[in-house]
Amino acid sequence: MKRLRCDQTPAWAALHLCFEANGKTFDLREAFAADPQRFEAFSQQAPHVFADLSKNLIDAPSQALLLDLAGQCGLLQHRDAMFAGALINSTEQRAVMHFLLRNPALAQAERAADATKNIATELTQVHATLNAMLAYADQVRADAAITDIVNIGIGGSDLGPQMAVLALSEFATTGKRFHFVSNVDGHELAGVLAQCQPHSTLFLIASKTFTTTETMTNAHSAKDWFEAQGGQDIGRHFAALTTNVAAANAFGIHTTFGFWDWVGGRYSLWSAIGLPIALAVGSDGFRELLAGAHAMDEHFRTAALEENLPVRLGLLDVWYRNFHGFTSRSIAPYSSALRRLPAYLQQLEMESNGKRVDADGNTLPFDTSPVLWGEPGTNGQHAYFQMLHQGTSIIPVEFVAVKTAAHDLPGHHDKLLANVLAQAQALMLGKLDAGGHRHFPGNRPSTFLLLDELTPASLGALIALQEHRVFVSGALWGINSFDQWGVELGKVLAKDMEARLHSGDAAGLDGSSAGLLQRICTK
């Protein structure tokens, strides 16, 4: 089905009129004063996640028009096409089925109305791989001789697993340390190797093709270190998460777990790429992670648009980006365990929706992905919150908080929760000061996502929520959210530049590149 791009719909024009009439002067303080039920109207419970949207610059008429926009753009049909296994990644002619990775065994296959024969076959393979991976994970967890696990990967093969392992540290096995190496900068790998011994280290090489430059450079250096330090039995101390079994075998690896071309890197932590997570929290914990994500999948797949949290968040993103003109969103997780969530969400959203052309290759006349950035609270309050409160740019903030702490240190969690509540309140209310320097303009929007506890299930739901939210805004913008051609050009040029670093040949380069090359090459 051909989608209608957002700017080609009647709702788009109506939204512009709505923004000019009311949106640009909308005041949250007035909205709360006028509507005592605003919190109830603009908040909702989704699987494992409660969301308060009431401190956003939105009202019932603008929300209704945004829902009209979703309908006119064919959002429901595009969503259903994804869940049916259609080739919605049009530039690569691939299905987008990461949701299958967290689908309970046979659940999809037994729904004949929703499952094609192809999906049922894929799901059988998914669970065969999942069972084998989790059996291996439990075997390694029980092996006291392995004390260090080093994941070598980059992009989606690093950001997702690293974020999740840190987030679920309270559920992690004891007696094992987890390390993540992604950067081709050798200082990172050297720093990890200095903490390890070859006889007690397991290396996981995460590369779909087993050709990724950064990953394979680090993998070969790790192998060289292992052998130089007297390590024996590469087959026991190295495993590969790859589809290129032959290349892994040639490397000396015989334990491999694969995945499928319908799994994009930034959506792959649910696959074999999530082995570090399974090693940390065990097979039961990993299945709980999948179950939480599946619950959010079902919410996205079945809930009415007006009660569908990923839809409401995605529509809000479009409202802010294309009507208010907000250029970024700050992610503020008030949980130290979620400290890598902003980096993970950067890739998820900016690699998915950082596109300048639509799915047909036409240049877009409007903006797409905002810049995502942030730090955990309360650290961010002592760094960049000054700008959030008093800067010249309005930056929507997304707070993530956890109701119940996993520790028993008295007083800490109350102070943490008090701070996140106060920051959201202060951004909205502001403070009048005639002197100027102490004036807080207020009316600065924020979203508040609340988990009862940070568990494998709630983390899975939170991540799936963000995945589907990105799908929604990308669908309305008419772009392909599942390719990433923008990462290719730099890789190609880097190969040429690496050769020039050895030869010193700057011929044919632009003036700046030539000058930098010569300066670097000069001894």
Side-chain angles (χ1 to χ4, degrees):
M1 172 191 168
K2 183 172 176 59
R3 288 179 285 159
L4 193 61
R5 207 174 67 192
C6 57
D7 60 322
Q8 299 166 348
T9 64
W12 189 257
L15 279 162
H16 274 289
L17 293 175
C18 177
F19 177 74
E20 290 299 322
N22 300 305
K24 63 166 55 176
T25 58
F26 184 83
D27 191 287
L28 284 165
R29 294 155 293 197
E30 294 175 2
F32 273 97
D35 182 8
Q37 303 303 312
R38 180 174 172 83
F39 174 77
E40 287 74 15
F42 289 94
S43 62
Q44 75 168 92
Q45 180 69 54
H48 300 284
V49 182
F50 177 81
D52 173 19
L53 310 182
S54 65
K55 294 190 187 74
N56 281 291
L57 306 177
I58 192 169
D59 57 13
S62 54
Q63 181 169 262
L65 286 171
L66 287 165
L67 290 168
D68 288 344
L69 179 68
Q72 293 171 18
C73 289
L75 174 63
L76 291 179
Q77 293 86 344
H78 193 52
R79 177 201 65 189
D80 292 346
M82 177 182 74
F83 281 106
L87 306 182
I88 66 168
N89 179 351
S90 54
T91 60
E92 297 177 300
Q93 285 298 293
R94 292 175 179 172
V96 175
M97 298 196 295
H98 49 276
F99 61 89
L100 272 190
L101 298 169
R102 56 249 192 164
N103 212 312
L106 302 180
Q108 186 91 10
E110 290 172 350
R111 282 204 307 264
D114 298 327
T116 66
K117 183 177 180 181
N118 178 57
I119 285 183
T121 301
E122 295 280 15
L123 187 59
T124 299
Q125 296 173 356
V126 162
H127 280 277
T129 301
L130 174 64
N131 292 338
M133 182 192 82
L134 294 182
Y136 175 74
D138 286 343
Q139 174 189 329
V140 173
R141 282 165 56 85
D143 186 349
I146 298 297
T147 60
D148 288 272
I149 295 163
V150 181
N151 187 81
I152 297 178
I154 197 166
S157 299
D158 168 77
L159 289 166
Q162 182 181 172
M163 179 272 294
V165 168
L166 289 171
L168 300 176
S169 59
E170 290 294 328
F171 298 85
T173 184
T174 57
K176 295 195 186 330
R177 300 185 301 172
F178 291 84
H179 313 271
F180 291 86
V181 175
S182 58
N183 204 322
V184 75
D185 182 352
H187 292 94
E188 184 170 67
L189 177 61
V192 168
L193 295 179
Q195 304 172 53
C196 300
Q197 297 295 325
H199 64 273
S200 59
T201 301
L202 172 65
F203 292 95
L204 307 178
I205 313 303
S207 173
K208 191 173 192 176
T209 62
F210 219 70
T211 60
T212 309
T213 298
E214 297 93 336
T215 299
M216 296 318 300
T217 299
N218 282 322
H220 283 289
S221 293
K223 181 183 177 183
D224 291 345
W225 169 87
F226 179 80
E227 293 175 333
Q229 295 293 315
Q232 299 179 353
D233 194 357
I234 287 176
R236 167 174 159 74
H237 290 275
F238 284 76
L241 316 176
T242 184
T243 57
N244 192 345
V245 175
N249 290 166
F251 187 94
I253 295 175
H254 301 291
T255 300
T256 63
F257 301 98
F259 43 107
W260 299 264
D261 65 3
W262 42 259
V263 182
R266 53 192 175 275
Y267 300 91
S268 65
L269 70 84
W270 322 101
S271 72
I273 292 297
L275 179 56
I277 309 171
L279 288 165
V281 302
S283 57
D284 289 344
F286 193 80
R287 291 188 189 277
E288 289 172 15
L289 178 81
L290 300 180
H294 177 66
M296 190 61 74
D297 291 341
E298 288 299 285
H299 170 74
F300 178 53
R301 192 181 69 84
T302 63
L305 287 180
E306 63 273 14
E307 299 171 351
N308 195 310
L309 185 55
V311 170
R312 295 178 76 180
L313 287 173
L315 292 176
L316 186 63
D317 294 340
V318 171
W319 178 239
Y320 280 167
R321 190 73 180 101
N322 300 120
F323 296 90
H324 284 274
F326 299 153
T327 59
S328 76
R329 180 166 76 250
S330 181
I331 310 299
Y334 273 66
S335 166
S336 178
L338 290 172
R339 58 190 175 275
R340 291 295 289 167
L341 182 64
Y344 171 77
L345 294 180
Q346 279 182 341
Q347 186 200 21
L348 176 62
E349 185 146 352
M350 295 166 69
E351 192 170 79
S352 294
N353 287 348
K355 311 288 170 61
R356 59 178 293 277
V357 299
D358 66 18
D360 294 323
N362 302 307
T363 301
L364 293 169
F366 51 78
D367 292 320
T368 56
S369 175
V371 175
L372 266 66
W373 56 281
E375 280 288 322
T378 56
N379 296 12
Q381 294 175 203
H382 297 268
Y384 61 83
F385 271 50
Q386 162 65 40
M387 186 179 77
L388 297 180
H389 286 287
Q390 293 185 311
T392 55
S393 295
I394 295 177
I395 299 169
V397 181
E398 189 154 293
F399 295 102
V400 183
V402 181
K403 182 177 176 181
T404 304
H407 64 78
D408 57 4
L409 297 173
H412 286 254
H413 204 59
D414 286 347
K415 287 182 172 60
L416 182 69
L417 291 176
N419 270 276
V420 66
L421 290 168
Q423 289 298 323
Q425 182 186 36
L427 285 166
M428 178 183 73
L429 295 180
K431 181 183 176 184
L432 180 64
D433 179 70
H437 293 292
R438 296 180 183 273
H439 175 67
F440 291 72
N443 203 39
R444 305 217 160 180
S446 67
T447 295
F448 200 113
L449 302 180
L450 180 64
L451 312 180
D452 283 342
E453 297 178 281
L454 182 55
T455 65
S458 65
L459 179 66
L462 177 65
I463 298 169
L465 168 66
Q466 299 290 349
E467 290 178 348
H468 296 318
R469 167 224 206 120
V470 169
F471 176 95
V472 169
S473 55
L476 268 60
W477 286 325
I479 62 180
N480 180 2
S481 297
F482 301 100
D483 61 13
Q484 53 282 326
W485 299 107
V487 307
E488 298 299 324
L489 178 59
K491 289 194 229 177
V492 173
L493 295 179
K495 291 181 180 178
D496 173 68
M497 201 62 75
E498 186 176 1
R500 291 175 182 272
L501 281 168
H502 293 289
S503 68
D505 179 15
L509 292 177
D510 62 272
S512 174
S513 299
L516 288 169
L517 178 71
Q518 291 171 354
R519 188 170 187 85
I520 290 171
C521 289
T522 301
K523 303 300 182 184

